[in-house]
C-alpha cells in the first residue's frame, strides 16, 4: 500500500503526463492538496519534494511550485517508460528567471536612487 505522500505525488505525476498540468503551470498549493487528499502538511511537503527530486516540479522562491519543462537533451526516462521532466534544463531555466527578476529589481532601484539624487534630497543622513 502506498503512503499518502506517494499517492499525492503519483496523482500529480499523472496529471502532468496526461497534459492536465503543462510545463510552467503552477502546481496546486499546499492548502489545496491538503484539502483534496485529507493529508497533513508534512505529507504534502514530502510529495512535493519527491516530484522535485524526480524532475517533475521546480520551486520558485516566493512564487510556488511549477511543472518543470522537459530537458532539451532528451532524458530517456525510467524502466517503466515514464519520461521525467525537469532536471538540469529546468534548474537553469529557474535560475535564469530568478536572475531576470533580480535585474528588473536592480534597475527599478537604480532609477529610484537616480531620481532621489536628481531631486537633491538625501535620506537617512
Amino acid at each position: 500500500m502506498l503512503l499518502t505522500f506517494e499517492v499525492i505525488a503519483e496523482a500529480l505525476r499523472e496529471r502532468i503526463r496526461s497534459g492536465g498540468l503543462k510545463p510552467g503551470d503552477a502546481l496546486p498549493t499546499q492548502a489545496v492538496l491538503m484539502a483534496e487528499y485529507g493529508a497533513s502538511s508534512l505529507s504534502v511537503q514530502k510529495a512535493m519534494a519527491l516530484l522535485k527530486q524526480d524532475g517533475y516540479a521546480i520551486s520558485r522562491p516566493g512564487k510556488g511550485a511549477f511543472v518543470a519543462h522537459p530537458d532539451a537533451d532528451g532524458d530517456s526516462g525510467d524502466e517503466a517508460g515514464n519520461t521525467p521532466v525537469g532536471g538540469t534544463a529546468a534548474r537553469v531555466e529557474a535560475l535564469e528567471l530568478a536572475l531576470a527578476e533580480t535585474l528588473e529589481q536592480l534597475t527599478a532601484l537604480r532609477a529610484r536612487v537616480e531620481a532621489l539624487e536628481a531631486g537633491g534630497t538625501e535620506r537617512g543622513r
Side-chain angles (χ1 to χ4, degrees):
M1 173 147 184
L2 294 177
L3 299 174
T4 303
F5 77 92
E6 293 170 319
V7 170
I8 297 168
E10 183 53 34
L12 290 171
R13 276 191 215 101
E14 186 52 38
R15 286 189 208 173
I16 293 167
R17 286 191 293 256
S18 71
L21 287 169
K22 296 181 180 3
D25 284 353
L27 289 168
T29 64
Q30 180 172 323
V32 167
L33 292 171
M34 287 171 62
E36 186 175 337
Y37 292 95
S40 69
S41 62
L42 182 59
S43 289
V44 171
Q45 289 170 12
K46 285 176 142 182
M48 295 307 292
L50 194 56
L51 288 174
K52 291 172 194 168
Q53 174 186 318
D54 293 344
Y56 283 89
I58 58 170
S59 287
R60 294 185 182 151
K63 305 278 185 197
F66 296 83
V67 177
H69 288 272
D71 267 339
D73 61 11
D75 284 341
S76 60
D78 61 19
E79 303 83 34
N82 298 320
T83 303
V85 294
T88 304
R91 288 189 290 276
V92 169
E93 181 179 327
L95 288 170
E96 288 173 343
L97 178 66
L99 179 59
E101 290 172 355
T102 302
L103 289 175
E104 287 175 16
Q105 292 171 348
L106 284 172
T107 301
L109 285 171
R110 179 175 288 137
R112 289 174 61 193
V113 168
E114 289 173 358
L116 287 171
E117 288 175 346
T121 60
E122 293 187 30
R123 290 190 181 192
R125 291 188 184 195

